[in-house]
C-alpha cells in the first residue's frame, strides 16, 4: 500500500514538472505543435495539423527537424464568425 502511494505521488510530481504553459500568437490564438516521423516529407504533419484545426485551417509558425522527428508549430485560424 505504501509503495503504491509513493509511486502515485511521484507520478503526479513528474506530470506537474513536464507541462509547460501554453504559448499564444500576437493576436491571442493559442499555438500547438504537431510531431511526426516523415524523413523529410511534411505531408503527415500537415495532415495532422488540418485534422487538429478543422475547416478553419491553420497558420504555420515554424518547422523543425531533430533526429528523425519533425515538428510543425502552428496556430489554428479562427472562423469568420468569431471575429
Amino acid at each position: 500500500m505504501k509503495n503504491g502511494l509513493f509511486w502515485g505521488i511521484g507520478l503526479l510530481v513528474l506530470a506537474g514538472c513536464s507541462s509547460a504553459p501554453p504559448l499564444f500568437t500576437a493576436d491571442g490564438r493559442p499555438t500547438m505543435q504537431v510531431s511526426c516521423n516523415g524523413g523529410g516529407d511534411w505531408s503527415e504533419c500537415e495532415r495532422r495539423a488540418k485534422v487538429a484545426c478543422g475547416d478553419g485551417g491553420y497558420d504555420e509558425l515554424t518547422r523543425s527537424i531533430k533526429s528523425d522527428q519533425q515538428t510543425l508549430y502552428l496556430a489554428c485560424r479562427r472562423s469568420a464568425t468569431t471575429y
Side-chain angles (χ1 to χ4, degrees), residues 27-73:
D27 62 0
R29 293 178 294 156
T31 63
M32 70 173 71
Q33 70 180 34
V34 176
S35 298
C36 57
N37 296 328
D41 181 16
W42 287 92
S43 61
E44 180 60 22
C45 281
E46 292 165 351
R47 184 192 66 76
R48 290 180 185 188
K50 288 177 185 174
V51 169
C53 292
D55 292 335
Y58 64 93
D59 292 319
E60 182 179 313
L61 304 174
T62 189
R63 295 178 180 209
S64 70
I65 301 174
K66 189 171 187 177
S67 300
D68 290 333
Q69 188 72 26
Q70 295 173 255
T71 305
L72 176 62
Y73 298 92

